[in-house]
Amino acid sequence: GAVVSQHPSRVICKSGTSVKIECRSLDFQATTMFWYRQFPKQSLMLMATSNEGSKATYEQGVEKDKFLINHASLTLSTLTVTSAHPEDSSFYICSASIPSGGVAFFGQGTRLTVV
Amino acid sequence: GENVEQHPSTLSVQEGDSAVIKCTYSDSASNYFPWYKQELGKGPQLIIDIRSNVGEKKDQRIAVTLNKTAKHFSLHITETQPEDSAVYFCAAINYGQNFVFGPGTRLSVLP
């Protein structure tokens, strides 16, 4: 299957700092990428839909000024958690869909710990 | 919007036995139904999928069945092995819309 690479896999940051997470589609062009947040023992919660060359679409309740999404190219989307707080600690996962057919592949996830 | 339910939430089977996980969906327009396996600390991996024009699909020990009339689909794993232990998520999508995931099933295969 297609490969989606997410980096870093783990990050620890101090409260008040910003953290950037990258999501790359390695062998296909993804016009749309998705960012999810997952709490322990729970399902994936869609945060936002990232569209190449345009503004991201955020789900209700997700602060767009806190979770900045940039989709500058057809193979790269970034999620920046700004002014991180301990409650932002979570597992963040990106996915990208093959344009024809809707099949989605997920990155490896990023474990963010804010101390 | 779409709503996906998944049962059971936890499932324990003996190695070699079969495991079945069921999902129901609410939007009759949904036409794509993937299953993902998520191991601890990793992202979900697509293991099998089915489209609405197909009733059953099989890939070695894994199979998925779809009943469009009843709006439910199931994952079947035969001859389970310890490495099958993971959390499994189903999803239902109307192409062009966002994925809606089930709450997940934690499968434990006991040696």
Side-chain angles (χ1 to χ4, degrees), chain B residues 55-109:
Chain B
E56 182 175 358
K57 184 176 179 181
K58 188 173 182 180
D59 182 4
Q60 299 183 339
R61 297 187 296 109
I62 296 173
V64 56
T65 59
L66 171 65
N67 184 326
K68 281 192 64 179
T69 303
K71 289 190 282 189
H72 66 70
F73 55 111
S74 299
L75 176 70
H76 305 254
I77 306 174
T78 59
E79 301 173 24
T80 53
Q81 301 168 3
E83 51 265 39
D84 294 329
S85 296
V87 178
Y88 291 82
F89 293 98
C90 64
I93 303 99
N94 180 3
Y95 180 58
Q97 306 298 315
N98 292 329
F99 278 54
V100 178
F101 287 91
T105 296
R106 183 172 300 276
L107 173 65
S108 299
V109 180

Side-chain angles (χ1 to χ4, degrees), chain A residues 17-29:
Chain A
T17 62
S18 296
V19 173
K20 180 184 285 187
I21 303 170
E22 292 188 347
C23 181
R24 295 181 183 272
S25 56
L26 297 185
D27 51 1
F28 66 100
Q29 293 183 332

Side-chain angles (χ1 to χ4, degrees), chain A residues 34 36 38 41-44 46 49 59 91 93 99-108, chain B residues 32 36 38 41-46 49 51 89 93 95 97-99 101-104 106:
Chain A
F34 304 89
Y36 296 85
Q38 188 177 35
K41 298 186 178 181
Q42 292 190 23
S43 190
L44 294 86
L46 180 66
T49 302
E59 295 300 298
F91 194 55
I93 311 171
S100 60
V103 180
F105 296 92
F106 286 82
Q108 307 95 314
Chain B
Y32 176 60
Y36 290 88
Q38 187 177 26
K42 298 183 180 180
Q45 295 294 311
L46 178 67
D49 57 9
R51 299 191 183 274
F89 293 98
I93 303 99
Y95 180 58
Q97 306 298 315
N98 292 329
F99 278 54
F101 287 91
R106 183 172 300 276

